[in-house]
Amino acid sequence: MSKDSHPHMRSFGRIKSRPIKPRQAALMDSLLPKVRCPETPFDPRALAPAATEVWLEIGFGGGEHMAAQAARRPDVLILGAEPFQNGVASALRHMDEQGLANVRLHDGDVRDLIARLPAACLQRVFILFPDPWPKARHHKRRLLQAELVEDLARVLAAGGRLRFATDWADYADWSLARLLASPHFDWPAARADDWRIPPADHITTRYEEKRLGDCAPVFLDFIRR
């Protein structure tokens, strides 16, 4: 596990639940050190000079979406950040089974990773179904705060895209308000179907199919000005 530290309030809960399966535990020892993002400032292009774009998935869960996108776009380098060790282990399994060479992982808080990235180095960012922290007293723990919006604006190139998805109505409203308040992002949605219907390139995960929230999934796609 990465030993990052930062002044921000923790936006995630536990970092481990059930015991990690032996095969995945072995990958944590053998594969993770090879695909872990550098722990000092770095340019992601240096990790994959032939990549046409660099994407970031924040909180990739079990890694299904990230792995599927990486398989679909082998020309893209995908950075994935996830503090939950079981999720990291699951992602490593997907990478190993599919032979994915275009994924790099950060097993910790994404804000530490973003701080190491140069400006305008990303073309896409995914934040899919993050912890909603539904109780009002916990809203300060939600990931998508104004500070993170600013950080994402710094690392996204002009024309880059940010996708936020949630199945909690209040979190959708919360996130939309913060992104609309930013001078760095445009929301091109023109009708309800633009956020109610999954985007054509979206990949549904098992978590999404469980419908644990209080509304149908909402997809908010923004463009960096």
Side-chain angles (χ1 to χ4, degrees):
M1 182 75 178
S2 173
K3 297 181 179 180
D4 294 323
S5 61
H6 50 77
H8 306 290
M9 180 168 290
R10 184 162 151 165
S11 61
F12 47 90
R14 58 188 179 177
I15 61 172
K16 186 177 181 181
S17 59
R18 63 190 182 280
I20 297 174
K21 296 177 182 179
R23 180 188 171 195
Q24 295 181 8
L27 291 172
M28 293 282 281
D29 292 332
S30 63
L31 181 57
L32 181 56
K34 298 176 183 177
V35 300
R36 182 180 274 135
C37 292
E39 297 187 359
T40 56
F42 69 99
D43 185 343
R45 293 282 185 175
L47 303 180
T52 59
E53 296 184 6
V54 181
W55 299 356
L56 168 64
E57 182 162 347
I58 299 175
F60 55 71
E64 296 171 74
H65 175 272
M66 179 176 63
Q69 292 285 8
R72 180 186 287 177
R73 290 292 305 272
D75 61 307
V76 171
L77 173 66
I78 301 183
L79 310 179
E82 174 60 63
F84 189 50
Q85 292 184 59
N86 298 76
V88 174
S90 175
L92 290 169
R93 177 179 61 82
H94 288 299
M95 294 168 61
D96 184 56
E97 290 179 349
Q98 299 180 49
L100 301 174
N102 58 326
V103 179
R104 299 292 182 273
L105 302 183
H106 172 70
D107 50 327
D109 193 307
V110 71
R111 291 167 291 191
D112 296 308
L113 173 62
I114 291 173
R116 300 175 200 155
L117 297 177
C121 67
L122 304 177
Q123 283 67 48
R124 296 199 71 175
V125 173
F126 298 95
I127 307 176
L128 306 180
F129 305 97
D131 191 328
W133 295 100
K135 295 180 180 179
R137 69 176 183 272
H138 292 155
H139 285 183
K140 59 190 175 183
R141 294 187 178 276
R142 286 178 166 174
L143 176 67
L144 199 62
Q145 304 284 346
E147 293 83 359
L148 182 64
V149 173
E150 285 296 309
D151 290 341
L152 293 176
R154 182 185 71 81
V155 295
L156 266 171
R161 292 172 290 165
L162 165 63
R163 175 171 298 159
F164 178 88
T166 183
D167 51 5
W168 287 85
D170 175 68
Y171 202 7
D173 292 340
W174 163 284
S175 302
L176 182 60
R178 279 148 185 77
L179 285 161
L180 289 176
S182 170
H184 306 297
F185 291 97
D186 288 320
W187 188 38
R191 55 182 182 173
D193 281 355
D194 290 335
W195 63 84
R196 290 177 179 168
I197 296 177
D201 63 348
H202 177 64
I203 296 165
T204 303
T205 65
R206 286 178 295 175
Y207 173 84
E208 183 183 344
E209 290 174 343
K210 292 178 181 178
R211 298 297 175 99
L212 299 176
D214 61 3
C215 70
V218 174
F219 298 88
L220 305 176
D221 275 13
F222 283 80
I223 299 174
R224 176 68 166 92
R225 290 176 181 165

